[in-house]
Amino acid sequence: MSFEPLKTVTSKTIVLSAANIDTDQIMPAKFLSMTTKAGLGEHVFANLRYDAEGNLTDHELNSEAGKACKILIGGHNFGCGSSREHAPWGLTDYGFRVVISSEIADIFRGNSLKNGLLPIIIDKKAHEWLLDNPGADVTVDLESCQVRLPGNGGTYDFNVDAFSRYCLMEGVDEMGYLNKQDSAIAAYEAKIAS
Amino acid sequence: MAKTLFDKVWERHIVVPETDDHPATFFIDLHLIHEVTSPQAFTELANRGLKVRRPDLTLATIDHSTPTLINEDGTRPYVTAQAETQVNTLLENTKKHGIETHGWESDNRGIVHVMGPEIGATQPGMTIVCGDSHTATHGAFGSIAFGIGTTQVGHVLANQCLLMRKPKTMAINVNGQLQAGVTPKDVILAIIAKIGVGGGTGYALEFRGNVFEEMSMAGRMTVCNMAIEAGSRIGMVAPDQTTFDYMQGRRKAPRAAGGEFARACEEWASLASDEGAAFDKEVHLDAAKITPMVTYGTHPGMGISITDIIPAAADKAEQAALDYMQLESGAKIAGQRVDKVFIGSCTNSRLEDLRAAAKILEGRKVQVTTIIVPGSGVTKAAAEKEGLDKVFESAGAQWRDAGCSMCLGMNGDIGAPGDLVVSTSNRNFMGRQGPGVRTVLASPETAAASAVNGTITDPRSMGVAA
Ligand code: SF4
């Protein structure tokens, strides 16, 4: 579960503007029985990308240009619903590094940060601009915690907690960090056992 | 300083306090696992050469991908080979790591959020996690219980800890007298309709007021179960005598002998929020105004009274939801044609829920396919002891084996495209119960009444009072 360090990303965006896109739409339940993570990118947004017969649709997620996009713009309250981590796994396996919305559901946000996907909750005005300008060249700078929109779109700050930022920029994960706290955990266990 | 229930349980579990630079290291008392969200975590452990730190604090079952009917020859019709592999992977992993597992041979096997409380593993004041978003169910006991992702399942397996930032707290106060025929499911649907599917985001909820004080543990579990549908990972009710009575004598509960149970109760009683404890946010609902609720859209916040008309869409997303549901604003929700009924899920599959459904189905016949799935083997046996299975079968409903079943259809129990399913589960997302299936969330009473009429029906018309 280690990942490429993430400092700056510049990419065209893909826009999925519907509000309340839940994790079931991102990764339908039928793919949850996979016991590995690799290849989940093929199934991300499966209901948009495949028709009833399983043939590829002409959705932009299936286009070569789409597959090169690293930044996904989602409608309000993106990632709500079930806690399935297959959603961020699928998104990162597809190639996304950043998801931007005006509201991103808690669990999905946490799951994303743990898997090298940066969730950005952005100002409503910037969000509207992004929804209105699919395919724009956007820069996300984790060093300065800013999203830069092209032309006169403007520059917007975003928040990410210091720890997640550290992990993303270094490409380290939480399990390694926790493993190092072994003695504190052992001391706590001894305390509650007594 | 006056403290909330959440604060008290939180503070007891801090291994390393949080700072601006890093989150708290937070100890987990009970880790529940099932087949869907654990395999990649065990793989990760193996890749790093780690073992399970506290198998004694880990408890496993199989529920999501398990068939609810057995073949005539006794074999189990898994929906896919992959589902069977997933179940077997869980069984192998837990065996290898010495984790107590309720597999096919255990009567306790069932939906993880039904099983934990039933065997007394869920206890007040605990921290409980599971790779499953409805883990908040266990908060009904006054524990901090929440869903985690598979990466975190790996963290807990390896370290019995999680990295956490303290959330804010929100009190949801429901006071007054509930009308006859209004159930806990209606209360939580009314709460979600009021605060919205994102209303609880970032908060731990505490359900407060006489309505919850007077509620059974099953009812409290129904309410806490759906905290996530209001955007919150955690929903809690303070432990009280109702909680203690439920705990008494359960297999994993403290023993009465030697005063262990009495001491535990005393400690549990001290967890309730102190008089004057401040919450970051407070919400109030008048119990008397709540009626039986149903959803009409594609998220649990789109809920209305069963006596209401379908409201106009507020935006494009709501219009898309109405289109998907094939419902028109201005029409009455009651009387809409129903194709199937599902009674089950970790929201409403406990004995009390089954009794409520049986009360309506007794002496009546269902007009549509009705699938009733108990939450666990133990619940199934208890229901059969009371003869509920006979009531269901003579009403023409199907009585199945325990599991998640049609709540998310992972095991193949799904509706046909276009079906309108009245369901006692917790999510009405597009396609959750099968591609194109239209889900209407409701209480067991409303689901049963709708099965009888073949249309969405106010259960009060069938003469039930709570
Ligand atoms: S019954 Fe439904 S919500 Fe509950 S654990 Fe199973 S799938 Fe999840």
Side-chain angles (χ1 to χ4, degrees), chain A residues 1 22 32-36 81-83 85 106 114-115 163 173-174 177-179 181-182 186 188-189, chain B residues 12-13 21-23 25 27 40 44 48 53-54 82 86 133 149-152 155 159 201-202 427 429:
Chain A
M1 294 183 210
D22 57 63
L32 301 191
S33 54
M34 312 249 310
T35 49
T36 59
S82 110
S83 63
E85 219 170 351
D106 260 11
K114 287 173 188 61
N115 287 284
F163 184 71
D173 70 4
E174 295 185 356
Y177 177 88
L178 275 168
N179 289 342
Q181 297 192 329
D182 182 64
Y188 178 90
E189 286 174 322
Chain B
R12 291 177 186 203
H13 292 88
D21 288 338
H22 62 78
T25 301
F27 193 80
Q40 289 92 345
E44 194 63 27
R48 298 187 190 212
R53 185 182 182 97
R54 296 295 300 269
Q82 208 169 41
Q86 199 181 44
S133 50
T150 298
T151 304
Q152 287 182 308
H155 297 170
N159 299 294
T201 305
R427 287 189 166 154
F429 300 153

Side-chain angles (χ1 to χ4, degrees), chain B residues 63-64 111-113 132 134 225 345-346 404 407-408 426 432:
Chain B
D63 52 7
H64 284 65
I111 306 173
V112 63
H113 310 310
D132 193 288
H134 293 94
N225 175 272
S345 91
C346 56
C404 296
C407 174
L408 95 163
N426 42 47
R432 182 170 168 97

Side-chain angles (χ1 to χ4, degrees), chain B residues 38-105:
Chain B
S38 65
Q40 289 92 345
F42 280 108
T43 308
E44 194 63 27
L45 233 61
N47 288 347
R48 298 187 190 212
L50 298 169
K51 57 183 181 35
V52 176
R53 185 182 182 97
R54 296 295 300 269
D56 58 321
L57 303 184
T58 313
L59 188 60
T61 192
I62 48 177
D63 52 7
H64 284 65
S65 303
T66 51
T68 52
L69 289 172
I70 305 177
N71 289 330
E72 286 199 351
D73 63 0
T75 56
R76 301 190 186 277
Y78 282 97
V79 61
T80 57
Q82 208 169 41
E84 185 164 13
T85 304
Q86 199 181 44
V87 166
N88 291 335
T89 305
L90 184 278
L91 298 176
E92 282 159 27
N93 279 327
T94 55
K95 188 163 174 216
K96 183 166 148 212
H97 292 275
I99 293 165
E100 179 179 327
T101 303
H102 296 279
W104 286 118
E105 70 299 330

Side-chain angles (χ1 to χ4, degrees), chain B residues 225-272:
Chain B
N225 175 272
M226 292 189 71
I228 186 71
E229 312 313 336
S232 170
R233 295 172 71 182
I234 299 168
M236 303 173 84
V237 175
D240 61 8
Q241 194 57 45
T242 305
T243 323
F244 310 152
D245 292 345
Y246 180 98
M247 292 304 305
Q248 182 135 38
R250 305 234 164 219
R251 181 159 68 81
K252 287 179 177 278
R255 299 280 118 215
E260 213 190 308
F261 187 75
R263 273 197 303 279
C265 289
E266 208 170 295
E267 198 198 313
W268 294 338
S270 74
L271 293 171

